[in-house]
Amino acid sequence: MKKLLITCGTLFALSASLPAFAEDPVGDWTGSIEGMIRLNIFFTKTPSGQHEVNIISPDDDKETIKADKVEAGENFMRFSIAKYNANYEAKWDETQKAWLGTWTQGQSLKLKLTRLDAEALAAQTQRRPQEEAIAKSPRNYSSKDVSFQNAKVKISLAGTLTLPQGKGPFPAVVLVHGSGPNDRDETIKDHKFFLVLADHLSTQGIAVLRYDKRGIAASTGDYKSATTFDFADDAQAAVDYLRTHSEINQDKLGVIGHSEGGLIAPMLAANNPKLKFIVLMAGPGVRTDAVLLEQSRLTLLANGESQAEVEKAQKVFREAYSIMNSGADDKTISERLKAYFDQAEKNGDLDKGAGAKQLSRLERPWFRAFIKYDPAPTLAKVKQATLVLNGELDLQVPAKMNLDGIRANMKANKNVVIKELPKLNHLFQTATTGSSAEYGKIDETLSPTALEAMSGWILQQ
């Protein structure tokens, strides 16, 4: 369940439930982690009397995760998952006929579980009509697996190149992922985001290269130690690879970046005058610490947290990010963060034990680099044609603050088109609230409005 933790500051969690006055919680249970992600908990007992727990998220990649340690008794359960540094404990509530528990994984979150019957399980099955159409219908383009090198660090990146029918040369784009361990399709909540995007663009006559991130799927390299700047080097290697293809029109070669990829695309454009255009899909336009704070605020509010709890969380992380941006060396920053989180636990601003887990998260090489980044200077250097898209309901890279930032930072570039697309979320799906809890529940993988806005604009360049 690789999305148990998501990047850019949002943390998911788990918990469970039991029948009335039962001796143990054997059975199938379902619920949502504070409204964010659904989990199905399958609690069984072996012939020898040992309890076992298996967990599947219908909103994620549907991988089955087995708990390592399981304890259960009359009206209580607890289990842990060492792989994700996670643990859960819950008690049965007879009034609500549900397990009420807390999942701890960097922070503590609530999950209420109720019985999962056959009807409820069937209702969870989501269709992916856009992906189904790609699989079933003949396409008017060719698709082949390719690999290319990032010679700078001697790694091999694996991907897929789709080429329209005909002689060419064709306009072309490289797709650059958002944060997280993404494969070439940028698979999120069982949606193959980049597959649908590549299919649409190549159907319209545009060649597309998409690839697995370093250390993910068929690509080599170390994902865990990589930063945004390392991923930018990989994206540049993808652009360089397309420059070796005679089928590609070198005068109409661009980059589409989603989320973190929307930080990376301007980096490539600023350093590569020959790049023709860039498209920013939910790209940050202000400092990344400001984006994370606003993302956290909106997400907590969407999940029903009180204003007081939201303000407490904002205070904790505003100070933590300030420490990280103080200019001190890494050792000093770690010491200051530890002291601060210890005090936050004593003050009741963080749950006991949460400080160490937050420290581990913030000390990751990726996070250390990401939290310090200000896109303003790079955006100001971009001379190429730029299409900027944001969903009105985006809670991860909120539209207004980031579009305003991009508009201000790119004011010298007269070939910039900025659009806020109504009713779309961070994944550019047609949504209701924009909450990440909706991602897997929505059948649509990528809005036709967003697809047509991109292909139409690119073909005009």
Side-chain angles (χ1 to χ4, degrees), residues 44-102:
T44 58
K45 183 187 284 187
T46 67
S48 63
Q50 294 293 112
H51 289 103
E52 294 184 348
V53 170
N54 289 282
I55 306 158
I56 297 176
S57 171
D59 294 336
D60 215 325
D61 53 16
K62 297 183 175 62
E63 175 189 0
T64 299
I65 300 297
K66 185 174 182 179
D68 304 293
K69 297 180 180 179
V70 182
E71 297 178 66
E74 187 172 355
N75 303 329
F76 87 91
M77 68 155 77
R78 66 174 66 95
F79 59 82
S80 61
I81 307 173
K83 179 180 179 180
Y84 294 104
N85 193 27
N87 61 78
Y88 164 77
E89 186 167 348
K91 292 183 178 180
W92 176 249
D93 186 288
E94 172 62 14
T95 302
Q96 298 186 52
K97 304 291 185 185
W99 289 97
L100 305 181
T102 301

Side-chain angles (χ1 to χ4, degrees), residues 13 28 37 58 114 117 131 141 148 182 198 208 212 216 243 247 296 305 313 315 317 323 331 336 345 355 359 367 416:
D28 301 340
I37 184 172
T114 56
D117 55 26
E131 297 168 31
Y141 58 82
F148 54 95
N182 290 307
V208 181
D212 302 323
I216 304 301
R243 292 206 181 280
E247 303 100 321
S296 174
E305 292 291 345
K315 174 188 173 184
F317 288 101
I323 292 170
K331 183 175 182 294
R336 290 179 182 174
E345 287 186 22
L359 182 61
F367 205 102
V416 177

Side-chain angles (χ1 to χ4, degrees), residues 412-434:
N413 187 335
K414 302 306 179 184
N415 197 359
V416 177
V417 175
I418 298 178
K419 294 183 178 182
E420 181 178 323
L421 302 179
K423 299 182 180 180
L424 301 191
N425 61 19
H426 185 64
L427 300 187
F428 291 82
Q429 301 167 299
T430 304
T432 302
T433 69

Side-chain angles (χ1 to χ4, degrees), residues 314-329:
Q314 291 280 286
K315 174 188 173 184
V316 168
F317 288 101
R318 185 178 292 108
E319 180 60 27
Y321 297 160
S322 177
I323 292 170
M324 296 186 74
N325 286 322
S326 65
D329 60 82

Side-chain angles (χ1 to χ4, degrees), residues 16-18 28-32 39-41 92 96-99 111-117 120:
S17 87
L18 164 65
D28 301 340
W29 309 94
T30 188
S32 295
L39 293 175
N40 294 337
I41 310 291
W92 176 249
Q96 298 186 52
K97 304 291 185 185
W99 289 97
L111 176 64
K112 173 183 176 181
L113 289 183
T114 56
R115 276 211 177 272
L116 174 65
D117 55 26

Side-chain angles (χ1 to χ4, degrees), residues 367-421:
F367 205 102
R368 283 191 183 276
F370 183 81
I371 198 66
K372 299 176 183 179
Y373 189 69
D374 182 357
T378 300
L379 288 168
K381 294 176 183 176
V382 174
K383 308 300 182 186
Q384 290 91 334
T386 303
L387 174 63
V388 182
L389 301 177
N390 234 108
E392 174 194 15
L393 299 180
D394 191 338
L395 302 186
Q396 290 187 241
V397 182
K400 179 172 172 45
M401 72 181 299
N402 288 286
L403 293 184
D404 285 351
I406 292 172
R407 191 176 287 109
N409 293 320
M410 298 189 75
K411 61 185 178 182
N413 187 335
K414 302 306 179 184
N415 197 359
V416 177
V417 175
I418 298 178
K419 294 183 178 182
E420 181 178 323
L421 302 179

Side-chain angles (χ1 to χ4, degrees), residues 244-255:
T244 67
H245 278 258
S246 60
E247 303 100 321
I248 303 304
N249 187 333
Q250 302 300 321
D251 295 326
K252 294 186 177 182
L253 174 58
V255 170

